Amino acid sequence: MPGYEFTDTATLTTVWTPGLKHPSFNVVSGNDEGTWNAMAGYRRLTENGNDDLRAVWVQGLLHPTEKVISSSTEGSWTPFPGYKLIDDNSLAVTWDTEGRGYNDLHIFSSSSPDDYIAYPGYEFVDDGNNLQTQWKMGLQNYLHPEQVSGVNEGEWLTDPNYTPPDNRASGFWQSFFSLVGAAVNNKIEEKVGENPLSGAVDDGLKRSFFNGVGKMITNDNDDPYNGVKPSKKHINW
C-alpha cells in the first residue's frame, strides 16, 4: 500500500515510512501513519485526510530544505532572492554579493548574506522571516531625500521642509588638510629631493584642494543618504 514499505519480504511485513511518494499523487507520506503532505512546490487542494490527495504546483513556495522557490513552470526552481545557483545540475546556491533589485518584491538584496533593503516608499510588513513589503505614505525617499511618498503607490511629493545638507564645512576642511599635506610633502622633498612618488602625492593633494573649494562654492555633492534610513531586514534560516 502507498506509504508502506516491506521490512520482511518473506513474511510480507510492512511498516509506515515517512517521505515516500504516493504513486498517483504529488504527495509524500507524513510522520504520522496515514497522513500525507504535499511534495515540495505543491499545495494540496484540500486537507481532508485521505479523501482527496490531489495537489497542484504553486509558484513562489519555498523549498523545505534548499534556498530556492518554485517557479512558474512545474518542477522547476529559482534561487531565493539574493542567491544564485552554483550550477545547473543541483539546487545548491550561493549568495550573490553584487546585490540586485527585485521589482515584484520591491526589495534590493544587499552585499551581505541574507540582508535586504526595501525600495524607497516601501517598508517590510513585519519582523517575520519573510520578504513582504508594503507602500507607506509619508516615507522620505532615501535616494532622493527631497521627496516623500504619497497616498497612492508610486506617488512622490516634494517635501517643502527638506533642506539639502550643507557641504561647505566639509569642503573647507578638505581644502585645509590638502594644504597641510602639500606643505609636509614639500618639506620631505627639500630633504630627500623631488621624486615620482612625491610628485604623485602633490598632484593628488592639488585635486583634493580644488575639489574642496568646489564644494564651498557650489555646495554640490549632497549626500542623498543624509539622515534617511531605508527599511531593512535580515532573514534567519
Side-chain angles (χ1 to χ4, degrees):
M1 290 181 62
Y4 293 86
E5 63 181 3
F6 287 106
T7 57
D8 189 335
T9 55
T11 61
L12 300 181
T13 304
T14 60
V15 63
W16 178 265
T17 305
L20 296 181
K21 185 185 181 308
H22 194 286
S24 304
F25 300 97
N26 293 310
V27 294
V28 293
S29 50
N31 291 328
D32 298 328
E33 187 171 4
T35 61
W36 296 90
N37 301 320
M39 292 174 56
Y42 290 86
R43 179 177 290 159
R44 290 187 58 177
L45 292 178
T46 66
E47 297 297 334
N48 296 329
N50 294 332
D51 294 336
D52 187 354
L53 296 181
R54 291 177 300 163
V56 294
W57 181 263
V58 177
Q59 182 181 3
L61 296 182
L62 180 64
H63 193 283
T65 59
E66 305 291 344
K67 295 177 181 178
V68 294
I69 55 178
S70 51
S71 72
S72 58
T73 303
E74 185 172 5
S76 64
W77 298 86
T78 58
F80 190 80
Y83 287 86
K84 59 183 178 180
L85 291 172
I86 294 177
D87 55 54
D88 297 330
N89 301 318
S90 72
L91 296 180
V93 295
T94 185
W95 183 259
D96 188 351
T97 56
E98 294 184 0
R100 55 170 294 189
Y102 296 86
N103 294 333
D104 54 335
L105 297 172
H106 308 112
I107 61 170
F108 296 107
S109 58
S110 170
S111 58
S112 302
D114 301 317
D115 285 337
Y116 301 88
I117 302 172
Y119 276 12
Y122 292 86
E123 64 177 6
F124 289 102
V125 172
D126 52 43
D127 295 329
N129 229 25
N130 61 71
L131 296 177
Q132 290 181 294
T133 60
Q134 62 184 1
W135 179 265
K136 183 177 180 180
M137 181 183 67
L139 292 181
Q140 192 172 1
N141 189 329
Y142 58 84
L143 296 179
H144 301 281
E146 73 280 3
Q147 299 176 340
V148 292
S149 53
V151 176
N152 300 316
E153 187 171 10
E155 177 187 17
W156 291 101
L157 307 173
T158 300
D159 182 2
N161 298 317
Y162 173 74
T163 302
D166 192 339
N167 284 312
R168 292 189 177 91
S170 64
F172 169 81
W173 288 112
Q174 180 177 339
S175 298
F176 173 80
F177 285 114
S178 297
L179 290 175
V180 172
V184 173
N185 192 50
N186 287 337
K187 289 292 184 182
I188 295 175
E189 287 181 342
E190 289 176 2
K191 289 184 176 295
V192 302
E194 188 174 349
N195 57 80
L197 178 59
S198 65
V201 171
D202 193 50
D203 289 339
L205 290 169
K206 286 180 181 178
R207 288 193 296 270
S208 178
F209 170 80
F210 287 112
N211 181 262
V213 171
K215 286 183 179 181
M216 288 189 288
I217 295 174
T218 64
N219 191 35
D220 60 359
N221 295 323
D222 290 342
D223 179 10
Y225 297 92
N226 184 58
V228 184
K229 297 185 181 299
S231 178
K232 297 181 179 181
K233 174 172 281 194
H234 179 81
I235 293 292
N236 297 303
W237 294 95

